[in-house]
Coordinates of all heavy atoms in Angstrom, one line a residue:
Chain B
Y171 N 14.5 -12.7 40.1 CA 15.0 -13.0 38.7 C 15.4 -14.5 38.7 O 16.0 -14.9 39.7 CB 16.1 -12.1 38.4 CG 15.7 -10.7 38.1 CD1 15.8 -9.7 39.0 CD2 15.1 -10.3 36.9 CE1 15.5 -8.4 38.8 CE2 14.7 -9.1 36.6 CZ 14.9 -8.1 37.5 OH 14.5 -6.8 37.3
G172 N 15.5 -15.1 37.6 CA 16.0 -16.4 37.5 C 15.6 -17.0 36.2 O 15.0 -16.4 35.3
I173 N 15.9 -18.4 36.1 CA 15.5 -19.1 34.9 C 14.1 -19.5 34.9 O 13.5 -19.8 36.0 CB 16.4 -20.4 34.6 CG1 16.5 -21.1 36.1 CG2 17.8 -20.0 34.2 CD1 17.0 -22.4 35.9
L179 N 18.2 -24.4 29.6 CA 19.3 -23.5 30.0 C 20.1 -23.1 28.8 O 20.7 -22.0 28.7 CB 20.2 -24.3 30.9 CG 19.9 -24.3 32.5 CD1 20.9 -24.9 33.2 CD2 19.7 -22.8 32.9
A182 N 19.0 -19.9 27.6 CA 18.9 -18.7 28.6 C 19.9 -17.6 28.2 O 21.1 -18.0 27.8 CB 19.2 -19.2 30.1
D183 N 19.6 -16.4 28.3 CA 20.6 -15.4 28.1 C 21.5 -15.1 29.2 O 21.2 -15.5 30.3 CB 19.8 -14.1 27.7 CG 19.0 -13.5 28.8 OD1 17.9 -14.0 29.1 OD2 19.4 -12.5 29.4
E184 N 22.6 -14.5 29.0 CA 23.6 -14.4 30.0 C 23.2 -13.5 31.2 O 23.5 -13.9 32.3 CB 24.8 -13.5 29.4 CG 25.5 -14.2 28.2 CD 24.8 -13.9 26.9 OE1 23.7 -13.4 27.0 OE2 25.4 -14.2 25.9
V185 N 22.4 -12.5 31.0 CA 21.9 -11.7 32.1 C 21.0 -12.5 33.0 O 21.2 -12.5 34.2 CB 21.2 -10.4 31.6 CG1 20.7 -9.5 32.7 CG2 22.1 -9.6 30.6
T186 N 20.0 -13.2 32.4 CA 19.1 -14.0 33.3 C 20.0 -15.1 34.0 O 19.7 -15.3 35.2 CB 18.1 -14.7 32.3 OG1 17.4 -13.7 31.7 CG2 17.2 -15.7 33.1
L187 N 20.9 -15.7 33.3 CA 21.7 -16.8 33.9 C 22.6 -16.2 35.1 O 22.7 -16.9 36.1 CB 22.6 -17.5 32.9 CG 22.7 -19.0 33.0 CD1 21.4 -19.6 33.2 CD2 23.4 -19.5 31.7
T188 N 23.1 -15.0 34.9 CA 24.0 -14.4 35.9 C 23.0 -14.1 37.2 O 23.4 -14.4 38.3 CB 24.4 -13.0 35.4 OG1 25.2 -13.3 34.2 CG2 25.5 -12.4 36.4
R189 N 21.9 -13.6 36.9 CA 20.9 -13.4 38.0 C 20.5 -14.6 38.6 O 20.3 -14.7 39.9 CB 19.6 -12.7 37.4 CG 19.9 -11.3 36.9 CD 20.2 -10.3 37.9 NE 19.9 -8.9 37.5 CZ 19.1 -8.0 38.1 NH1 18.7 -8.4 39.3 NH2 19.0 -6.9 37.6
A190 N 20.3 -15.7 37.9 CA 19.9 -16.9 38.5 C 21.0 -17.5 39.4 O 20.7 -18.1 40.4 CB 19.5 -18.0 37.4
L191 N 22.2 -17.3 39.0 CA 23.3 -17.8 39.8 C 23.4 -17.0 41.1 O 23.5 -17.5 42.2 CB 24.6 -17.5 39.0 CG 25.3 -18.7 38.3 CD1 26.4 -18.3 37.5 CD2 25.6 -19.9 39.2
A192 N 23.3 -15.6 40.9 CA 23.5 -14.7 42.1 C 22.3 -15.0 43.1 O 22.6 -14.9 44.3 CB 23.4 -13.2 41.7
G193 N 21.2 -15.4 42.6 CA 20.0 -15.6 43.5 C 19.9 -17.1 43.9 O 18.8 -17.4 44.4
R194 N 20.9 -17.9 43.8 CA 20.7 -19.3 44.0 C 20.3 -19.6 45.5 O 20.8 -18.8 46.4 CB 22.0 -20.1 43.6 CG 23.2 -19.7 44.5 CD 24.5 -20.3 43.8 NE 25.7 -20.1 44.6 CZ 26.3 -18.9 44.6 NH1 25.9 -17.9 43.9 NH2 27.4 -18.8 45.3

Side-chain angles (χ1 to χ4, degrees):
Chain B
Y171 286 102
I173 45 170
L179 277 186
D183 65 285
E184 298 83 346
V185 182
T186 300
L187 220 45
T188 307
R189 295 286 204 132
L191 264 176
R194 67 191 181 278

